[in-house]
Amino acid sequence: MSENISIIIWSKEGCSYCDDVKKYLVDKELSYKTVDVTNNDHLRDILDVKYGVRHVPVVEIGQGNVYRGVTEVGIEHLQEALDEVFVLD
């Protein structure tokens, strides 16, 4: 697995989809950082500027200074994006 891959989850408290994403990454033994947008509308503004969405979860997968945002809800979208970066078991 590439050492320079970074995963960031934009999430909020009480979001079951966000919890599903986090559990999936833990199950795959992938580390991630979280940006909590709960009570932080200015962070949703950032998502709106970057990706045209205000919902969570949004997962950013980065390599070097280039990040790809996964904005579609559903583990299958995250899995597809991760498969493009490296092969998961």
Side-chain angles (χ1 to χ4, degrees):
M1 189 174 310
S2 182
E3 295 175 10
N4 61 349
I5 299 296
S6 172
I7 300 173
I8 301 170
I9 302 172
W10 295 67
S11 65
K12 70 176 185 174
E13 294 174 15
C15 170
S16 62
Y17 295 119
C18 301
D19 293 340
D20 290 346
V21 167
K22 292 174 186 177
K23 181 181 181 321
Y24 175 81
L25 293 173
V26 168
D27 288 349
K28 295 297 181 184
E29 299 180 355
L30 296 171
S31 61
Y32 61 87
K33 295 179 182 176
T34 302
V35 176
D36 188 348
V37 303
T38 307
N39 301 318
N40 293 299
D41 283 342
H42 69 282
L43 295 176
R44 289 181 187 266
D45 293 341
I46 293 170
L47 287 176
D48 193 16
V49 169
K50 289 174 89 169
Y51 303 111
V53 299
R54 295 184 62 80
H55 66 79
V56 291
V58 170
V59 180
E60 292 182 313
I61 303 168
Q63 192 167 18
N65 291 328
V66 178
Y67 280 80
R68 172 184 176 188
V70 180
T71 60
E72 300 91 351
V73 176
I75 295 298
E76 66 275 11
H77 302 290
L78 174 58
Q79 184 174 357
E80 181 180 313
L82 289 170
D83 285 346
E84 291 177 12
V85 178
F86 44 73
V87 178
L88 296 177
D89 295 331

Short mmCIF file of all heavy atoms in Angstrom, two decimals, residues 47-85:
data_model
loop_
_atom_site.label_atom_id
_atom_site.label_comp_id
_atom_site.label_asym_id
_atom_site.label_seq_id
_atom_site.Cartn_x
_atom_site.Cartn_y
_atom_site.Cartn_z
N LEU A 47 -17.13 22.56 1.37
CA LEU A 47 -17.56 21.44 0.52
C LEU A 47 -18.31 21.95 -0.70
O LEU A 47 -18.15 21.41 -1.80
CB LEU A 47 -18.44 20.47 1.32
CG LEU A 47 -17.76 19.60 2.34
CD1 LEU A 47 -18.79 18.76 3.10
CD2 LEU A 47 -16.72 18.70 1.68
N ASP A 48 -19.13 22.97 -0.49
CA ASP A 48 -19.90 23.52 -1.60
C ASP A 48 -18.97 24.11 -2.66
O ASP A 48 -19.16 23.88 -3.87
CB ASP A 48 -20.85 24.59 -1.07
CG ASP A 48 -21.91 25.00 -2.08
OD1 ASP A 48 -22.11 24.29 -3.08
OD2 ASP A 48 -22.54 26.05 -1.86
N VAL A 49 -17.95 24.83 -2.24
CA VAL A 49 -17.00 25.42 -3.19
C VAL A 49 -16.19 24.34 -3.89
O VAL A 49 -15.99 24.39 -5.11
CB VAL A 49 -16.07 26.43 -2.47
CG1 VAL A 49 -14.91 26.84 -3.35
CG2 VAL A 49 -16.86 27.65 -2.00
N LYS A 50 -15.72 23.35 -3.12
CA LYS A 50 -14.85 22.32 -3.69
C LYS A 50 -15.59 21.34 -4.60
O LYS A 50 -15.08 20.95 -5.65
CB LYS A 50 -14.16 21.53 -2.57
CG LYS A 50 -13.10 22.31 -1.83
CD LYS A 50 -12.57 21.54 -0.65
CE LYS A 50 -11.41 20.68 -1.09
NZ LYS A 50 -10.70 20.11 0.10
N TYR A 51 -16.78 20.90 -4.14
CA TYR A 51 -17.45 19.79 -4.83
C TYR A 51 -18.90 20.08 -5.23
O TYR A 51 -19.56 19.21 -5.81
CB TYR A 51 -17.41 18.54 -3.95
CG TYR A 51 -16.01 18.14 -3.57
CD1 TYR A 51 -15.56 18.25 -2.26
CD2 TYR A 51 -15.12 17.67 -4.54
CE1 TYR A 51 -14.26 17.88 -1.92
CE2 TYR A 51 -13.83 17.31 -4.21
CZ TYR A 51 -13.40 17.42 -2.90
OH TYR A 51 -12.11 17.07 -2.57
N GLY A 52 -19.43 21.23 -4.85
CA GLY A 52 -20.81 21.55 -5.19
C GLY A 52 -21.83 20.80 -4.37
O GLY A 52 -22.98 20.65 -4.79
N VAL A 53 -21.44 20.33 -3.18
CA VAL A 53 -22.36 19.63 -2.27
C VAL A 53 -22.22 20.22 -0.88
O VAL A 53 -21.19 20.80 -0.52
CB VAL A 53 -22.09 18.11 -2.23
CG1 VAL A 53 -22.27 17.48 -3.59
CG2 VAL A 53 -20.73 17.80 -1.65
N ARG A 54 -23.26 20.05 -0.08
CA ARG A 54 -23.22 20.46 1.33
C ARG A 54 -23.49 19.27 2.24
O ARG A 54 -23.53 19.42 3.45
CB ARG A 54 -24.22 21.58 1.58
CG ARG A 54 -23.89 22.87 0.83
CD ARG A 54 -24.83 23.99 1.15
NE ARG A 54 -24.81 24.39 2.55
CZ ARG A 54 -23.90 25.18 3.11
NH1 ARG A 54 -22.91 25.66 2.37
NH2 ARG A 54 -23.97 25.51 4.38
N HIS A 55 -23.70 18.11 1.67
CA HIS A 55 -24.02 16.92 2.46
C HIS A 55 -22.74 16.18 2.86
O HIS A 55 -21.67 16.40 2.30
CB HIS A 55 -24.94 15.98 1.69
CG HIS A 55 -24.30 15.38 0.48
ND1 HIS A 55 -23.43 14.31 0.55
CD2 HIS A 55 -24.39 15.69 -0.83
CE1 HIS A 55 -23.01 14.00 -0.66
NE2 HIS A 55 -23.59 14.83 -1.52
N VAL A 56 -22.88 15.32 3.84
CA VAL A 56 -21.82 14.41 4.24
C VAL A 56 -22.40 13.00 4.23
O VAL A 56 -23.61 12.84 4.28
CB VAL A 56 -21.25 14.76 5.64
CG1 VAL A 56 -20.49 16.06 5.59
CG2 VAL A 56 -22.31 14.80 6.72
N PRO A 57 -21.59 11.98 4.11
CA PRO A 57 -20.14 12.03 4.09
C PRO A 57 -19.59 12.40 2.72
O PRO A 57 -20.18 12.11 1.69
CB PRO A 57 -19.72 10.61 4.43
CG PRO A 57 -20.83 9.75 3.90
CD PRO A 57 -22.08 10.59 4.09
N VAL A 58 -18.45 13.07 2.77
CA VAL A 58 -17.61 13.28 1.59
C VAL A 58 -16.25 12.72 1.98
O VAL A 58 -15.74 13.01 3.06
CB VAL A 58 -17.49 14.77 1.21
CG1 VAL A 58 -16.42 14.97 0.15
CG2 VAL A 58 -18.83 15.31 0.73
N VAL A 59 -15.71 11.88 1.12
CA VAL A 59 -14.40 11.28 1.40
C VAL A 59 -13.42 11.84 0.38
O VAL A 59 -13.67 11.78 -0.82
CB VAL A 59 -14.45 9.74 1.30
CG1 VAL A 59 -13.07 9.15 1.59
CG2 VAL A 59 -15.49 9.17 2.26
N GLU A 60 -12.32 12.37 0.89
CA GLU A 60 -11.26 12.85 0.02
C GLU A 60 -10.11 11.85 0.09
O GLU A 60 -9.67 11.49 1.17
CB GLU A 60 -10.77 14.23 0.45
CG GLU A 60 -11.80 15.31 0.23
CD GLU A 60 -11.29 16.67 0.63
OE1 GLU A 60 -10.71 16.82 1.72
OE2 GLU A 60 -11.48 17.60 -0.17
N ILE A 61 -9.67 11.42 -1.08
CA ILE A 61 -8.54 10.50 -1.18
C ILE A 61 -7.43 11.27 -1.87
O ILE A 61 -7.58 11.71 -3.00
CB ILE A 61 -8.91 9.25 -1.98
CG1 ILE A 61 -10.12 8.56 -1.34
CG2 ILE A 61 -7.71 8.30 -2.07
CD1 ILE A 61 -10.74 7.49 -2.19
N GLY A 62 -6.33 11.43 -1.16
CA GLY A 62 -5.25 12.24 -1.67
C GLY A 62 -3.96 11.49 -1.87
O GLY A 62 -3.65 10.55 -1.14
N GLN A 63 -3.25 11.92 -2.88
CA GLN A 63 -1.91 11.40 -3.16
C GLN A 63 -1.07 12.60 -3.54
O GLN A 63 -1.35 13.27 -4.52
CB GLN A 63 -1.96 10.37 -4.27
CG GLN A 63 -0.70 9.58 -4.44
CD GLN A 63 -0.90 8.37 -5.34
OE1 GLN A 63 -1.87 8.28 -6.08
NE2 GLN A 63 0.01 7.44 -5.24
N GLY A 64 -0.07 12.90 -2.69
CA GLY A 64 0.69 14.12 -2.90
C GLY A 64 -0.20 15.31 -2.60
O GLY A 64 -0.87 15.36 -1.58
N ASN A 65 -0.27 16.25 -3.52
CA ASN A 65 -1.12 17.42 -3.36
C ASN A 65 -2.42 17.33 -4.15
O ASN A 65 -3.12 18.32 -4.28
CB ASN A 65 -0.36 18.68 -3.79
CG ASN A 65 0.75 19.02 -2.84
OD1 ASN A 65 0.66 18.75 -1.65
ND2 ASN A 65 1.83 19.58 -3.37
N VAL A 66 -2.73 16.15 -4.68
CA VAL A 66 -3.92 15.97 -5.50
C VAL A 66 -4.93 15.12 -4.73
O VAL A 66 -4.62 14.02 -4.28
CB VAL A 66 -3.57 15.29 -6.84
CG1 VAL A 66 -4.82 15.05 -7.66
CG2 VAL A 66 -2.55 16.11 -7.61
N TYR A 67 -6.14 15.66 -4.56
CA TYR A 67 -7.21 14.96 -3.86
C TYR A 67 -8.39 14.74 -4.79
O TYR A 67 -8.72 15.59 -5.60
CB TYR A 67 -7.69 15.77 -2.64
CG TYR A 67 -6.77 15.62 -1.45
CD1 TYR A 67 -5.59 16.35 -1.36
CD2 TYR A 67 -7.08 14.73 -0.43
CE1 TYR A 67 -4.75 16.21 -0.28
CE2 TYR A 67 -6.25 14.58 0.65
CZ TYR A 67 -5.09 15.33 0.73
OH TYR A 67 -4.26 15.18 1.80
N ARG A 68 -9.00 13.58 -4.60
CA ARG A 68 -10.25 13.28 -5.31
C ARG A 68 -11.34 13.20 -4.27
O ARG A 68 -11.18 12.54 -3.24
CB ARG A 68 -10.13 11.94 -6.03
CG ARG A 68 -11.46 11.49 -6.61
CD ARG A 68 -11.41 10.14 -7.23
NE ARG A 68 -12.76 9.78 -7.65
CZ ARG A 68 -13.09 8.61 -8.11
NH1 ARG A 68 -12.18 7.67 -8.22
NH2 ARG A 68 -14.33 8.35 -8.47
N GLY A 69 -12.46 13.85 -4.53
CA GLY A 69 -13.58 13.81 -3.61
C GLY A 69 -14.61 12.79 -4.05
O GLY A 69 -15.03 12.78 -5.20
N VAL A 70 -14.99 11.92 -3.11
CA VAL A 70 -16.08 10.97 -3.35
C VAL A 70 -17.31 11.56 -2.66
O VAL A 70 -17.39 11.57 -1.43
CB VAL A 70 -15.75 9.57 -2.78
CG1 VAL A 70 -16.89 8.60 -3.05
CG2 VAL A 70 -14.44 9.05 -3.37
N THR A 71 -18.23 12.07 -3.46
CA THR A 71 -19.40 12.76 -2.91
C THR A 71 -20.66 11.92 -2.97
O THR A 71 -21.65 12.28 -2.33
CB THR A 71 -19.64 14.09 -3.67
OG1 THR A 71 -19.87 13.80 -5.05
CG2 THR A 71 -18.45 15.03 -3.53
N GLU A 72 -20.63 10.82 -3.71
CA GLU A 72 -21.80 9.96 -3.81
C GLU A 72 -21.92 9.14 -2.53
O GLU A 72 -20.94 8.63 -2.01
CB GLU A 72 -21.70 9.01 -5.01
CG GLU A 72 -21.58 9.69 -6.33
CD GLU A 72 -20.14 9.94 -6.75
OE1 GLU A 72 -19.23 9.73 -5.93
OE2 GLU A 72 -19.93 10.37 -7.88
N VAL A 73 -23.15 9.01 -2.02
CA VAL A 73 -23.39 8.22 -0.82
C VAL A 73 -23.50 6.75 -1.21
O VAL A 73 -24.18 6.40 -2.17
CB VAL A 73 -24.69 8.68 -0.11
CG1 VAL A 73 -25.00 7.79 1.08
CG2 VAL A 73 -24.55 10.13 0.33
N GLY A 74 -22.77 5.92 -0.50
CA GLY A 74 -22.77 4.48 -0.75
C GLY A 74 -21.35 3.95 -0.78
O GLY A 74 -20.48 4.53 -1.43
N ILE A 75 -21.15 2.87 -0.05
CA ILE A 75 -19.82 2.27 0.06
C ILE A 75 -19.27 1.88 -1.31
O ILE A 75 -18.07 1.96 -1.55
CB ILE A 75 -19.84 1.04 1.00
CG1 ILE A 75 -20.18 1.49 2.44
CG2 ILE A 75 -18.54 0.28 0.98
CD1 ILE A 75 -19.18 2.43 3.06
N GLU A 76 -20.13 1.49 -2.24
CA GLU A 76 -19.66 1.06 -3.56
C GLU A 76 -18.89 2.17 -4.27
O GLU A 76 -17.93 1.91 -5.00
CB GLU A 76 -20.81 0.54 -4.42
CG GLU A 76 -21.83 1.57 -4.82
CD GLU A 76 -22.95 1.82 -3.81
OE1 GLU A 76 -22.87 1.34 -2.66
OE2 GLU A 76 -23.92 2.51 -4.18
N HIS A 77 -19.28 3.43 -4.07
CA HIS A 77 -18.58 4.56 -4.69
C HIS A 77 -17.20 4.75 -4.07
O HIS A 77 -16.22 5.01 -4.78
CB HIS A 77 -19.41 5.83 -4.58
CG HIS A 77 -20.76 5.71 -5.20
ND1 HIS A 77 -20.96 5.62 -6.56
CD2 HIS A 77 -21.98 5.61 -4.63
CE1 HIS A 77 -22.25 5.50 -6.81
NE2 HIS A 77 -22.89 5.49 -5.66
N LEU A 78 -17.13 4.61 -2.76
CA LEU A 78 -15.85 4.72 -2.06
C LEU A 78 -14.93 3.59 -2.48
O LEU A 78 -13.75 3.79 -2.77
CB LEU A 78 -16.06 4.71 -0.54
CG LEU A 78 -14.80 4.67 0.31
CD1 LEU A 78 -13.89 5.85 0.02
CD2 LEU A 78 -15.19 4.61 1.78
N GLN A 79 -15.47 2.37 -2.53
CA GLN A 79 -14.67 1.21 -2.91
C GLN A 79 -14.11 1.38 -4.32
O GLN A 79 -12.94 1.10 -4.57
CB GLN A 79 -15.51 -0.06 -2.83
CG GLN A 79 -14.73 -1.31 -3.11
CD GLN A 79 -15.56 -2.57 -2.87
OE1 GLN A 79 -16.70 -2.51 -2.44
NE2 GLN A 79 -14.97 -3.70 -3.15
N GLU A 80 -14.91 1.87 -5.23
CA GLU A 80 -14.46 2.09 -6.60
C GLU A 80 -13.30 3.10 -6.64
O GLU A 80 -12.31 2.89 -7.34
CB GLU A 80 -15.62 2.59 -7.45
CG GLU A 80 -15.29 2.83 -8.89
CD GLU A 80 -16.49 3.34 -9.67
OE1 GLU A 80 -17.58 2.76 -9.52
OE2 GLU A 80 -16.33 4.34 -10.40
N ALA A 81 -13.42 4.18 -5.89
CA ALA A 81 -12.38 5.20 -5.85
C ALA A 81 -11.10 4.64 -5.24
O ALA A 81 -9.99 4.90 -5.74
CB ALA A 81 -12.85 6.40 -5.08
N LEU A 82 -11.23 3.86 -4.18
CA LEU A 82 -10.05 3.27 -3.54
C LEU A 82 -9.40 2.24 -4.44
O LEU A 82 -8.16 2.14 -4.47
CB LEU A 82 -10.43 2.64 -2.20
CG LEU A 82 -10.79 3.63 -1.09
CD1 LEU A 82 -11.38 2.88 0.11
CD2 LEU A 82 -9.58 4.45 -0.67
N ASP A 83 -10.19 1.49 -5.18
CA ASP A 83 -9.64 0.49 -6.09
C ASP A 83 -8.77 1.15 -7.17
O ASP A 83 -7.85 0.53 -7.69
CB ASP A 83 -10.74 -0.33 -6.75
CG ASP A 83 -11.35 -1.36 -5.81
OD1 ASP A 83 -10.77 -1.62 -4.74
OD2 ASP A 83 -12.44 -1.88 -6.13
N GLU A 84 -9.07 2.38 -7.50
CA GLU A 84 -8.25 3.09 -8.48
C GLU A 84 -6.89 3.47 -7.91
O GLU A 84 -5.94 3.65 -8.65
CB GLU A 84 -8.98 4.35 -8.96
CG GLU A 84 -10.20 4.07 -9.79
CD GLU A 84 -10.94 5.32 -10.19
OE1 GLU A 84 -10.40 6.45 -10.01
OE2 GLU A 84 -12.08 5.20 -10.68
N VAL A 85 -6.81 3.59 -6.58
CA VAL A 85 -5.56 3.98 -5.93
C VAL A 85 -4.70 2.76 -5.59
O VAL A 85 -3.52 2.75 -5.84
CB VAL A 85 -5.85 4.82 -4.66
CG1 VAL A 85 -4.56 5.20 -3.96
CG2 VAL A 85 -6.64 6.06 -5.01
#
